[in-house]
Amino acid sequence: MSERKKVAFYTLGCKLNFSETSTIARNLQDEGFDRVDFEEVADMYVINTCSVTENADKQFKQVVRKAMKLNDKAFVAAVGCYAQLKPEELANVDGVDLVLGATEKFKLADYVNDLSKNDFGEVHSCEIAEADFYVGSYSIGDRTRAFLKVQDGCDYKCTYCTIPLARGISRSDALENVLQNAKEISEQNIKEIVLTGVNIGDYGKGEFGNKKHEHTFLDLVQALDEVEGIERLRISSIEPNLLKNETIDFVSKSQTFVPHFHIPLQSGSNAILKLMKRRYLREVYTDRVTQIKEVMPHACIGVDVIVGFPGETEEHFLETYHFLNEMDISYLHVFTYSERDNTEAAEMEGVVPANVRAKRSKMLRGLSVKKRRAFYESQLGTERTVLFETENKEGYIHGFTENYVKVKAPWNPELANTLHKIQLTHIDEDGSVRVQFVEALA
């Protein structure tokens, strides 16, 4: 290519997708592309899709339309989970030229020739059984923190979930690769790394492309704790049955791992957990939260929960509501159950009407606001460390403490991407916490 082509990316879905988008972008930059913002005119637009929420499907069409508005001659490629599950559906969206499944997405450069538009979307997807190799990735340049992928795929068979169909079996990056990626990130003056994967507590499995492995999640955490130059490490989301006491104890004593856990619950009713084929009962969840709070009383604990699962009666829902209300947790991510093709749950009886799902979702979102407020109030007067983001939002700069309290201070560009010791003083009307500076750290 004589003149460097411009490529823009749009990522739907999870932190794992962000890390993979960033890696695909670096690959394309090595092949002679310049990355530009999605709001700009580009020669190629790449959309990394998600299959988890109903909305992500609708969003995809909107994003394609947006790209076509910017440049109706641009080449549009769809990659990611939805591209694996429903490639034909995406290929039929007006303007889409190329759809790459789970094994092909990292080879995007190989499929791109002269960037001329196709008459119809070309599909390259695989049988998901072929997605058995591991591609490491991490995101830099997008945010103050980097997402470091350590694991991919899932061997669990939760009845509502399409991720095993979209991403294949559980497999892990080799420990030395993860450490090498962490070093590369730390050299970019990035202060915080978030560990990400589909089921990161399963780390180690599939390290050699089979079920054999040398390392566990605890080994990974201990090794990363030794990497120089990283100020903060955060565990993104980990299954309650895979979060072991040894890991909790290690984090409580670590200099770099922060006291923040995000632990999916999905339901506070054992009957529903069994229908979901989750690998624990609510008692295990209680035990994990108790253990964390015992060694780290100031820890932030986030919870994923699904409402409106088939068979969820009002009693089951109230069981979940009261369970969460009484638990010492900090916030909720509430998902309204939506049917997915090729999942067991889609065939189950006891379908919950959409208006009931919406009502339950609203109740839990209200509970989340209450929980977050109570957690923030419990932290007032304490000294914490904050890492400031880089954006000026209406004259303020925001950041997060190690235990995930969102704070704000008057905008000062010198604070961007720096760590400061602060005291949490009071909660602002927008819900974030105002601070007093104690000292600058880095």
Side-chain angles (χ1 to χ4, degrees):
M1 289 181 205
S2 51
E3 185 190 334
R4 285 174 74 90
K5 301 281 188 188
K6 290 179 179 162
V7 59
F9 291 83
Y10 198 101
T11 306
L12 298 162
C14 64
K15 296 181 175 82
L16 183 55
N17 271 6
F18 275 100
S19 79
E20 293 184 341
T21 296
S22 206
T23 295
I24 295 167
R26 286 196 295 279
N27 293 346
L28 284 173
Q29 282 165 313
D30 292 344
E31 295 292 328
F33 283 85
D34 287 329
R35 184 175 182 176
V36 297
D37 197 73
F38 202 85
E39 313 297 318
E40 294 180 42
V41 174
D43 301 290
M44 174 161 71
Y45 293 93
V46 181
I47 304 162
N48 196 350
T49 63
C50 166
S51 66
V52 173
T53 61
E54 201 61 64
N55 229 3
D57 319 347
K58 298 190 187 94
Q59 276 181 302
F60 176 74
K61 289 181 179 151
Q62 287 167 356
V63 176
V64 174
R65 280 201 295 274
K66 192 170 159 187
M68 290 287 86
K69 247 188 202 148
L70 289 161
N71 179 7
D72 61 2
K73 293 184 179 61
F75 189 87
V76 176
V79 300
C81 289
Y82 207 61
Q84 174 64 33
L85 291 174
K86 299 276 179 83
E88 305 299 338
E89 203 173 289
L90 295 191
N92 289 334
V93 172
D94 220 20
V96 173
D97 299 291
L98 180 66
V99 179
L100 298 182
T103 58
E104 273 71 32
K105 62 188 169 196
F106 293 106
K107 303 181 221 155
L108 176 58
D110 299 350
Y111 289 101
V112 175
N113 298 323
D114 59 355
L115 296 186
S116 53
K117 299 284 293 168
N118 290 330
D119 296 336
F120 52 88
E122 193 183 307
V123 172
H124 295 276
S125 70
C126 61
E127 287 304 312
I128 197 60
E130 292 167 26
D132 59 359
F133 57 89
Y134 186 86
V135 178
S137 43
Y138 58 84
S139 73
I140 52 173
D142 303 330
R143 320 200 161 179
T144 340
R145 57 185 69 92
F147 300 129
L148 172 59
K149 174 180 161 185
V150 299
Q151 182 274 344
D152 201 348
C154 190
D155 292 341
Y156 287 10
K157 299 284 185 283
C158 301
T159 53
Y160 52 83
C161 185
T162 55
I163 287 174
L165 298 172
R167 283 187 170 271
I169 59 169
S170 178
R171 52 210 190 273
S172 306
D173 204 350
L175 190 58
E176 55 272 22
N177 282 357
V178 175
L179 297 176
Q180 180 54 39
N181 285 342
K183 282 194 187 82
E184 285 176 22
I185 293 168
S186 73
E187 285 159 8
Q188 305 279 333
N189 191 28
I190 287 171
K191 305 279 194 283
E192 180 174 312
I193 292 179
V194 183
L195 302 186
T196 175
V198 173
N199 187 356
I200 64 173
D202 210 22
Y203 176 80
K205 192 188 274 187
E207 224 178 321
F208 302 105
N210 54 24
K211 295 297 172 204
K212 288 198 181 74
H213 59 92
E214 258 177 64
H215 299 107
T216 62
F217 184 68
L218 180 62
D219 293 337
L220 172 74
V221 165
Q222 290 172 330
L224 280 167
D225 202 47
E226 301 289 309
V227 176
E228 285 189 15
I230 300 167
E231 302 282 343
R232 278 185 180 183
L233 284 154
R234 202 178 287 276
I235 297 166
S236 62
S237 178
I238 185 165
E239 295 282 307
N241 51 306
L242 294 173
L243 178 56
K244 304 287 188 242
N245 283 351
E246 297 82 9
T247 306
I248 293 169
D249 288 340
F250 183 80
V251 168
S252 75
K253 299 181 183 89
S254 164
Q255 290 303 300
T256 46
F257 274 90
V258 295
H260 174 207
F261 295 86
H262 194 91
I263 314 167
L265 169 68
Q266 310 310 14
S267 175
S269 158
N270 281 343
I272 298 298
L273 287 173
K274 285 173 184 169
L275 282 176
M276 290 175 164
K277 289 192 178 167
R278 299 293 285 158
R279 297 202 175 187
Y280 54 86
L281 296 174
R282 59 187 254 163
E283 290 73 15
V284 170
Y285 202 92
T286 306
D287 184 56
R288 301 296 76 210
V289 172
T290 307
Q291 179 66 23
I292 291 166
K293 286 292 184 176
E294 212 162 274
V295 292
M296 290 171 272
H298 60 296
C300 178
I301 300 174
V303 185
D304 286 342
V305 61
I306 295 171
V307 295
F309 188 80
E312 184 185 65
T313 61
E314 194 64 18
E315 289 73 26
H316 290 137
F317 170 70
L318 289 174
E319 224 183 314
T320 297
Y321 186 92
H322 294 310
F323 181 68
L324 288 165
N325 192 30
E326 284 153 27
M327 182 97 59
D328 192 0
I329 54 154
S330 317
Y331 64 91
L332 305 172
H333 281 172
V334 183
F335 298 90
T336 305
Y337 170 75
S338 60
E339 285 75 6
R340 286 281 170 266
D341 291 345
N342 304 317
T343 58
E344 271 184 71
E347 311 296 317
M348 286 180 181
E349 291 172 1
V351 172
V352 178
N355 62 329
V356 177
R357 294 183 209 186
K359 182 186 133 213
R360 291 175 185 173
S361 174
K362 192 175 176 185
M363 277 178 73
L364 282 183
R365 285 202 306 274
L367 179 62
S368 181
V369 170
K370 191 180 107 177
K371 285 284 183 186
R372 194 184 295 267
R373 177 94 192 182
F375 176 63
Y376 282 12
E377 282 174 359
S378 77
Q379 296 302 300
L380 293 180
T382 62
E383 278 190 10
R384 297 279 171 243
T385 303
V386 64
L387 171 60
F388 283 105
E389 308 277 332
T390 53
E391 251 178 293
N392 180 348
K393 288 185 180 168
E394 296 172 359
Y396 288 95
I397 189 166
H398 291 82
F400 285 92
T401 63
E402 66 273 39
N403 60 341
Y404 215 54
V405 173
K406 187 177 187 183
V407 309
K408 69 190 278 196
W411 169 252
N412 172 355
E414 286 171 20
L415 293 176
N417 195 33
T418 59
L419 286 156
H420 291 264
K421 189 164 272 209
I422 44 96
Q423 187 180 43
L424 302 168
T425 58
H426 63 277
I427 300 174
D428 215 23
E429 53 261 31
D430 67 356
S432 54
V433 179
R434 300 300 291 264
V435 301
Q436 245 177 342
F437 285 87
V438 180
E439 62 176 298
L441 300 172

